[in-house]
Amino acid sequence: MADEKKDEAHGPDTWLTTLGRDAEASHGFVNPPVYRGSTVLHRSVRTLDEAVPDRFDTPIYGRYGTPTHFALQHAIAQLEGGHRSIAIASGKAAVLCALIAFLEAGDHLLMVDSAYAPTRRLCTGLLARFGVETTFYDPLIGSRIEGLIRSETKLVFVESPGSLTFEVQDVPAIAGAAHRAGAVVVMDNTWATPLFFKPFAYGVDVSVQAATKYIVGHSDAMLGLVTASEASYPAVTRGADALGAPAGPDDCYLALRGLRTLGVRLRRQQETGLILARWLKARPEVERVMHPALPEDPGHTIWKRDFTGASGLFGAILRPASEEAVAAMLDGLELFGRGYSWGGYESLAIPTHPEHARSANPWAAQGPCLRFHAGLEDPDDLIRDLEKGFERLNRTS
Ligand SMILES: *Cc1c(COP(=O)(O)O)cnc(C)c1O
């Protein structure tokens, strides 16, 4: 591809508009086409055989990807700062791909306690059934993770900030301890996207994106991406091969299209997210806002050291209120939708239950937890919507 070499001369927004494009190969059209297909016809048996070793990066069979996949994969690998990337059918399948790439029966896995709940269930369910033992660790453990590493520990999984509760992890300290013990470090980098956190610069070996969220960016496709360092790439290809769940080419196209506006969307969502977070913090109904870009947040120092921005997803803990009052607040919101996923252009608000998803430390907060996603609407309209929501909360409790 035209973008193969590292482009050190340009800034991140230039990268977002140029990576994964090769107009010459697309008859001059700006965007790569959608290749749909299973069989790839080869001129000879020899050229078919020769393509096999690099099958996730050259056309050989649809399950290993098409030039549409390769365009997206090249763009993401460069943005993350890794060697190669593989597009998988969903973010959850991408997490599974990264785990099965390295783990086998008898191995031990260290999983962050604030992981995305379905990731947690993969550990307690599928991996346990296949003989992999998981220890969940405190997201704020830092270099003290050394004390949990055993000779069978093969993989340390980080997700920063944590799902629902937004703790920021000391990724370089954790990666240092893991590497000294010969374990690989896998990170779920969905919240920051490669625009706001560069995993490979902080010691991560494999980075997972639920591209369903910000990269696709319009709530219209499911997609995962697994990006590997050069040393980890062979294992990741084995994981992807075993899984056999490639992303669809149309979804890769949507992700490439989303990538072009990722910078403008994320910066606007960061700004709106912070406006909402500060406004919420000042409300008497709110106990604490969980947003690492707020200076008083416990994760702020590390966030500022390692990240170049914040996306639009954050949490809030309310003062104790009944479930009915919270439902009245959220059900009546007109601009914030009630629904899973996030990263699209539309705002969302849902109740969350971190108390059900913890085992390293019990969840101490008494009041209900909410998760907000800032979309691209006018921030003043969003605030008026929330203001009326608090009126309903107060009327109901
Ligand atoms: C949504 C999400 C996933 C899973 O992605 P899907 O595409 O929904 O399977 C994984 N990790 C995080 C942090 C997520 O938010």
Side-chain angles (χ1 to χ4, degrees), residues 90-92 116 159 163 188 190 210 212-213 222-223 342:
S90 71
K92 181 174 175 176
Y116 178 63
E159 181 185 329
S163 273
D188 186 327
T190 302
T212 307
K213 310 286 167 56
M222 303 296 300
L223 186 74
W342 40 273

